[in-house]
Amino acid sequence: MLDIAFDDIDEAALAQLVANETPESRDLEFKRDLPGQEPDNIREFLADVTSLANTNGGDLIFGIEDVDGVAAGLPGVAIANIDNEILRLEQIIRTNVDPRLIGVRIRHIPFAAGNGALLIRIPPGLQPPHRVTFRNSGKFYARTSRGKYELDVHELRHAFVDSSRLPARFRQYHAEGIERARGIDMPFAIMNDPTAVVSTMPLSLFREEREIAITDDHALVPIRPNAYSSIDMMEGVMLHTPVDEATGRVRSFAITYRNGRTDVAWTIGGTRQNQQGQDMKLVFAPSFEEGLITAARATQTRLQQFGVEGPWIVIASVYGVKDHFMIFGDHYQTRPAFKDETLIGELRLDRIEVTGLLPLAKKFWLHFGVHRPENQAFGPPNGLAG
């Protein structure tokens, strides 16, 4: 996969591949011509796509000529109707791969002298291994640095087992994020108030070793900071709000890990006095929702600078919320939460957009025994965050 954001790849970037005599690899494949309508061409195209999806994901580029797997020329491809060709390839992938391959992105890269390249970015499969079903093929493919190959029975068994373990491995990382919020193996904990923890990770996390050069200039910022400090850690960089002198705790922190994931923790409520001077244990839905959107969206923005792409796993939990309630509408009071710690939910998203995070907000409200009002706005007015 090119170490460039998908939307930033242009003719110059492709020409550099040729100038550098870049070889094909486990996550990069060159093709001189687009796949034709012949069954053998379609079958070969699907084998290329699924081999990338079943490995680490990667880029399939049409319009680059190779010699023995090394980029040697940039003739491009002539496409009469670009939109129709993209739709054709999308349809081939959509109808001939099982399980369905989510998150494939295709774009045309025009050349100054005419023609152009067609770039297909294939994410790691959400439910690998993916098989080619075209004309009852039923074959599974993967890749090495020398190209694609068909999986044997032993490799297939391993692939299915490894896929079944993925959810637990993501949740384990999230559980460690909760422990950090509680102060375990940390210089401090989050304030002793209701707290949210959001972990955002690329689906490729366990399939691709990476060590990004994260610094405090590029690390995730904590939620709603009035000021913040940074700490370089073995695992990454943590930015945190000021340490309270009385408690030794903080309101929020964000850890950007060198392997390309984040944990963000912040308080979402506490004890407040009403007009009668009575103590009320409150949780504020906007604090959770705004923090969720900011944490997840900012992760995508920051990590894409280092070539980390989706699909993404977003996991959210809250703790310390027992006996707390929310107030909404005309001062309507929900029932108090009876569970202290809850896994709000887990999402798998091709791209992290505001609307895609709404299911987590709805589950958060249900933790307090009410449905989130359908007419209540979700996210900032312009639909952007982070």
Coordinates of all heavy atoms in Angstrom, one line a residue, residues 135-179:
R135 N -18.7 -17.7 -10.9 CA -18.9 -19.0 -11.6 C -18.6 -20.2 -10.8 O -17.9 -21.1 -11.2 CB -18.2 -19.0 -13.0 CG -18.7 -17.9 -13.9 CD -18.3 -18.2 -15.3 NE -18.9 -17.2 -16.3 CZ -18.9 -17.3 -17.6 NH1 -18.1 -18.3 -18.2 NH2 -19.5 -16.4 -18.3
N136 N -19.0 -20.1 -9.5 CA -18.8 -21.2 -8.6 C -17.4 -21.6 -8.3 O -17.0 -22.7 -8.1 CB -19.6 -22.5 -9.0 CG -21.1 -22.3 -9.2 OD1 -21.7 -21.7 -8.3 ND2 -21.6 -22.7 -10.3
S137 N -16.5 -20.6 -8.4 CA -15.1 -20.8 -8.2 C -14.8 -21.4 -6.7 O -14.2 -22.4 -6.6 CB -14.3 -19.5 -8.4 OG -13.0 -19.6 -7.9
G138 N -15.2 -20.6 -5.7 CA -15.0 -21.1 -4.3 C -13.6 -21.1 -3.9 O -13.3 -21.7 -2.9
K139 N -12.7 -20.3 -4.5 CA -11.3 -20.3 -4.1 C -10.9 -19.2 -3.2 O -11.5 -18.1 -3.2 CB -10.4 -20.3 -5.4 CG -10.5 -21.6 -6.2 CD -9.5 -21.5 -7.4 CE -9.6 -22.8 -8.2 NZ -8.6 -22.8 -9.3
F140 N -9.9 -19.4 -2.3 CA -9.4 -18.5 -1.4 C -8.0 -18.1 -1.8 O -7.2 -19.0 -2.0 CB -9.5 -19.0 0.1 CG -10.8 -19.3 0.6 CD1 -11.4 -20.5 0.3 CD2 -11.5 -18.4 1.4 CE1 -12.7 -20.8 0.8 CE2 -12.8 -18.7 1.9 CZ -13.4 -19.9 1.6
Y141 N -7.7 -16.8 -1.7 CA -6.3 -16.4 -2.1 C -5.7 -15.5 -1.0 O -6.4 -14.9 -0.2 CB -6.3 -15.6 -3.4 CG -6.8 -16.4 -4.6 CD1 -8.2 -16.4 -4.9 CD2 -5.9 -17.1 -5.4 CE1 -8.6 -17.1 -6.0 CE2 -6.4 -17.8 -6.5 CZ -7.7 -17.8 -6.8 OH -8.1 -18.6 -7.9
A142 N -4.4 -15.5 -0.9 CA -3.6 -14.6 -0.1 C -2.4 -14.2 -0.8 O -2.2 -14.6 -2.0 CB -3.3 -15.3 1.3
R143 N -1.5 -13.4 -0.2 CA -0.4 -12.8 -0.9 C 0.9 -13.0 -0.1 O 0.9 -13.1 1.2 CB -0.5 -11.3 -1.1 CG -1.6 -11.0 -2.2 CD -1.6 -9.5 -2.4 NE -0.4 -9.0 -3.1 CZ -0.2 -9.1 -4.4 NH1 -1.1 -9.6 -5.2 NH2 1.0 -8.6 -4.8
T144 N 2.0 -13.1 -0.8 CA 3.3 -13.0 -0.3 C 4.0 -11.8 -1.1 O 3.4 -11.2 -1.9 CB 4.2 -14.2 -0.5 OG1 4.4 -14.5 -1.9 CG2 3.4 -15.5 0.1
S145 N 5.2 -11.6 -0.8 CA 6.0 -10.5 -1.5 C 6.1 -10.9 -3.0 O 6.4 -10.0 -3.8 CB 7.3 -10.3 -0.9 OG 8.1 -11.5 -0.9
R146 N 5.9 -12.1 -3.3 CA 6.0 -12.6 -4.7 C 4.7 -12.6 -5.5 O 4.7 -13.0 -6.7 CB 6.7 -14.0 -4.8 CG 8.1 -14.0 -4.2 CD 8.8 -15.4 -4.4 NE 8.0 -16.4 -3.6 CZ 8.2 -16.6 -2.3 NH1 9.0 -15.9 -1.6 NH2 7.5 -17.5 -1.7
G147 N 3.6 -12.3 -4.8 CA 2.3 -12.3 -5.5 C 1.3 -13.1 -4.8 O 1.5 -13.6 -3.6
K148 N 0.2 -13.4 -5.5 CA -0.9 -14.1 -4.8 C -0.7 -15.6 -5.0 O 0.0 -16.1 -5.9 CB -2.2 -13.7 -5.4 CG -2.4 -14.0 -6.9 CD -3.7 -13.5 -7.4 CE -3.9 -13.7 -8.9 NZ -3.0 -12.9 -9.7
Y149 N -1.4 -16.3 -4.1 CA -1.4 -17.8 -4.2 C -2.7 -18.3 -3.6 O -3.4 -17.6 -2.8 CB -0.2 -18.4 -3.5 CG -0.2 -18.2 -2.0 CD1 -0.7 -19.2 -1.1 CD2 0.2 -17.0 -1.4 CE1 -0.7 -19.0 0.3 CE2 0.2 -16.8 0.0 CZ -0.3 -17.8 0.8 OH -0.3 -17.7 2.2
E150 N -3.1 -19.5 -3.9 CA -4.3 -20.1 -3.3 C -4.0 -20.8 -2.0 O -3.0 -21.5 -1.8 CB -4.8 -21.2 -4.3 CG -6.2 -21.7 -3.9 CD -6.8 -22.7 -4.9 OE1 -6.2 -22.8 -6.0 OE2 -7.8 -23.3 -4.6
L151 N -4.8 -20.5 -1.0 CA -4.7 -21.0 0.3 C -4.9 -22.5 0.3 O -5.9 -23.0 -0.3 CB -5.6 -20.4 1.3 CG -5.4 -18.9 1.6 CD1 -6.6 -18.3 2.4 CD2 -4.1 -18.7 2.4
D152 N -4.1 -23.3 1.1 CA -4.4 -24.7 1.2 C -5.3 -24.9 2.4 O -5.6 -24.0 3.1 CB -3.1 -25.5 1.3 CG -2.2 -25.1 2.5 OD1 -2.8 -24.6 3.5 OD2 -1.0 -25.3 2.4
V153 N -5.6 -26.2 2.7 CA -6.5 -26.5 3.8 C -6.0 -26.0 5.1 O -6.7 -25.5 5.9 CB -6.8 -28.0 3.8 CG1 -7.6 -28.4 5.0 CG2 -7.5 -28.5 2.5
H154 N -4.7 -26.3 5.4 CA -4.1 -25.8 6.7 C -4.2 -24.3 6.9 O -4.6 -23.8 7.9 CB -2.7 -26.3 6.8 CG -2.0 -25.8 8.0 ND1 -2.2 -26.3 9.2 CD2 -1.1 -24.8 8.1 CE1 -1.4 -25.7 10.1 NE2 -0.7 -24.8 9.5
E155 N -3.9 -23.6 5.8 CA -3.9 -22.1 5.9 C -5.3 -21.6 6.0 O -5.6 -20.6 6.8 CB -3.3 -21.5 4.6 CG -1.7 -21.7 4.6 CD -1.2 -21.4 3.2 OE1 -1.8 -21.7 2.2 OE2 -0.1 -20.7 3.2
L156 N -6.3 -22.3 5.4 CA -7.7 -21.9 5.5 C -8.1 -22.1 7.0 O -8.8 -21.2 7.5 CB -8.5 -22.7 4.6 CG -8.8 -22.2 3.2 CD1 -9.6 -23.2 2.4 CD2 -9.5 -20.8 3.2
R157 N -7.8 -23.2 7.5 CA -8.2 -23.4 8.9 C -7.6 -22.4 9.9 O -8.3 -21.8 10.7 CB -7.8 -24.8 9.4 CG -8.2 -25.2 10.8 CD -7.7 -26.6 11.2 NE -8.3 -27.6 10.3 CZ -7.5 -28.3 9.4 NH1 -6.2 -28.1 9.4 NH2 -8.0 -29.3 8.7
H158 N -6.4 -22.0 9.7 CA -5.8 -21.0 10.5 C -6.4 -19.7 10.3 O -6.6 -18.9 11.2 CB -4.3 -20.9 10.1 CG -3.5 -19.8 10.9 ND1 -3.2 -20.0 12.2 CD2 -3.2 -18.6 10.5 CE1 -2.6 -18.9 12.6 NE2 -2.5 -18.0 11.5
A159 N -6.8 -19.3 9.0 CA -7.4 -18.1 8.7 C -8.8 -17.9 9.4 O -9.1 -16.9 9.9 CB -7.6 -17.9 7.2
F160 N -9.6 -19.0 9.4 CA -10.9 -19.0 10.0 C -10.7 -18.8 11.5 O -11.5 -18.0 12.2 CB -11.7 -20.2 9.7 CG -12.3 -20.2 8.3 CD1 -11.9 -21.0 7.3 CD2 -13.4 -19.3 8.1 CE1 -12.6 -21.0 6.1 CE2 -14.0 -19.2 6.9 CZ -13.6 -20.1 5.9
V161 N -9.8 -19.5 12.1 CA -9.6 -19.4 13.6 C -9.1 -18.0 14.0 O -9.6 -17.4 14.9 CB -8.6 -20.5 14.1 CG1 -8.2 -20.3 15.5 CG2 -9.2 -21.9 13.9
D162 N -8.1 -17.5 13.2 CA -7.6 -16.2 13.5 C -8.7 -15.1 13.4 O -8.8 -14.2 14.2 CB -6.5 -15.9 12.5 CG -5.7 -14.7 12.9 OD1 -5.2 -14.6 14.1 OD2 -5.5 -13.7 12.1
S163 N -9.6 -15.3 12.4 CA -10.7 -14.3 12.2 C -11.6 -14.3 13.4 O -12.1 -13.3 13.9 CB -11.4 -14.6 10.9 OG -12.5 -13.8 10.8
S164 N -11.9 -15.5 13.9 CA -12.8 -15.6 15.1 C -12.2 -15.0 16.3 O -13.0 -14.6 17.2 CB -13.2 -17.1 15.3 OG -12.0 -17.8 15.8
R165 N -10.9 -14.9 16.4 CA -10.3 -14.3 17.6 C -10.2 -12.8 17.5 O -9.9 -12.2 18.6 CB -8.9 -14.9 17.7 CG -8.9 -16.4 18.1 CD -7.5 -16.9 18.1 NE -7.4 -18.3 18.5 CZ -6.4 -19.1 18.4 NH1 -5.3 -18.6 17.8 NH2 -6.4 -20.4 18.8
L166 N -10.4 -12.2 16.4 CA -10.1 -10.8 16.2 C -11.0 -9.9 17.2 O -10.4 -9.0 17.8 CB -10.4 -10.3 14.8 CG -9.3 -10.4 13.8 CD1 -9.7 -9.9 12.4 CD2 -8.1 -9.5 14.3
P167 N -12.3 -10.2 17.3 CA -13.1 -9.3 18.2 C -12.5 -9.3 19.6 O -12.5 -8.2 20.3 CB -14.5 -9.9 18.1 CG -14.5 -10.6 16.8 CD -13.2 -11.1 16.6
A168 N -12.1 -10.5 20.1 CA -11.6 -10.5 21.5 C -10.3 -9.7 21.6 O -10.1 -9.1 22.7 CB -11.4 -12.0 21.9
R169 N -9.5 -9.7 20.6 CA -8.2 -9.0 20.7 C -8.5 -7.5 20.7 O -7.8 -6.8 21.4 CB -7.3 -9.4 19.5 CG -7.0 -10.9 19.5 CD -6.1 -11.3 18.3 NE -4.8 -10.8 18.4 CZ -3.9 -10.9 17.5 NH1 -4.2 -11.6 16.3 NH2 -2.7 -10.5 17.6
F170 N -9.4 -7.0 19.9 CA -9.7 -5.6 20.0 C -10.3 -5.2 21.3 O -9.9 -4.2 21.9 CB -10.7 -5.3 18.8 CG -10.1 -5.2 17.5 CD1 -10.5 -6.1 16.5 CD2 -9.2 -4.2 17.2 CE1 -10.0 -6.0 15.2 CE2 -8.6 -4.2 15.9 CZ -9.0 -5.1 14.9
R171 N -11.2 -6.0 21.9 CA -11.8 -5.7 23.2 C -10.7 -5.8 24.3 O -10.9 -5.0 25.3 CB -12.9 -6.7 23.5 CG -14.1 -6.4 22.6 CD -15.2 -7.5 22.7 NE -16.2 -7.4 21.6 CZ -16.9 -8.4 21.2 NH1 -16.7 -9.6 21.7 NH2 -17.7 -8.2 20.2
Q172 N -9.7 -6.6 24.1 CA -8.7 -6.6 25.1 C -7.9 -5.3 25.2 O -7.6 -4.8 26.2 CB -7.7 -7.8 24.8 CG -6.5 -7.9 25.8 CD -7.0 -8.1 27.3 OE1 -7.9 -8.8 27.5 NE2 -6.3 -7.4 28.2
Y173 N -7.6 -4.8 24.0 CA -7.0 -3.4 24.0 C -7.9 -2.4 24.6 O -7.4 -1.5 25.4 CB -6.7 -3.0 22.5 CG -5.3 -3.4 22.0 CD1 -5.1 -3.8 20.7 CD2 -4.2 -3.3 22.9 CE1 -3.8 -4.1 20.3 CE2 -2.9 -3.6 22.5 CZ -2.7 -4.0 21.1 OH -1.5 -4.3 20.7
H174 N -9.2 -2.5 24.3 CA -10.1 -1.5 25.0 C -10.1 -1.7 26.5 O -10.1 -0.7 27.2 CB -11.5 -1.7 24.4 CG -12.5 -0.8 24.9 ND1 -12.4 0.6 24.8 CD2 -13.7 -1.0 25.6 CE1 -13.5 1.2 25.4 NE2 -14.2 0.2 25.9
A175 N -10.1 -2.9 26.9 CA -10.1 -3.2 28.4 C -8.9 -2.6 29.0 O -8.9 -2.0 30.2 CB -10.2 -4.7 28.7
E176 N -7.7 -2.6 28.3 CA -6.5 -2.0 28.8 C -6.7 -0.5 28.9 O -6.1 0.2 29.8 CB -5.3 -2.4 28.0 CG -5.0 -3.9 28.1 CD -3.9 -4.3 27.1 OE1 -3.4 -3.4 26.4 OE2 -3.6 -5.5 27.0
G177 N -7.4 0.1 27.9 CA -7.7 1.5 28.0 C -8.5 1.9 29.2 O -8.2 3.0 29.8
I178 N -9.5 1.1 29.6 CA -10.2 1.3 30.8 C -9.4 1.3 32.0 O -9.5 2.1 32.9 CB -11.4 0.4 30.9 CG1 -12.4 0.6 29.7 CG2 -12.2 0.5 32.2 CD1 -13.5 -0.5 29.6
E179 N -8.5 0.3 32.0 CA -7.6 0.2 33.2 C -6.7 1.4 33.3 O -6.4 1.9 34.4 CB -6.7 -1.1 33.0 CG -7.4 -2.4 33.3 CD -6.5 -3.6 33.2 OE1 -5.4 -3.5 32.7 OE2 -6.9 -4.6 33.7

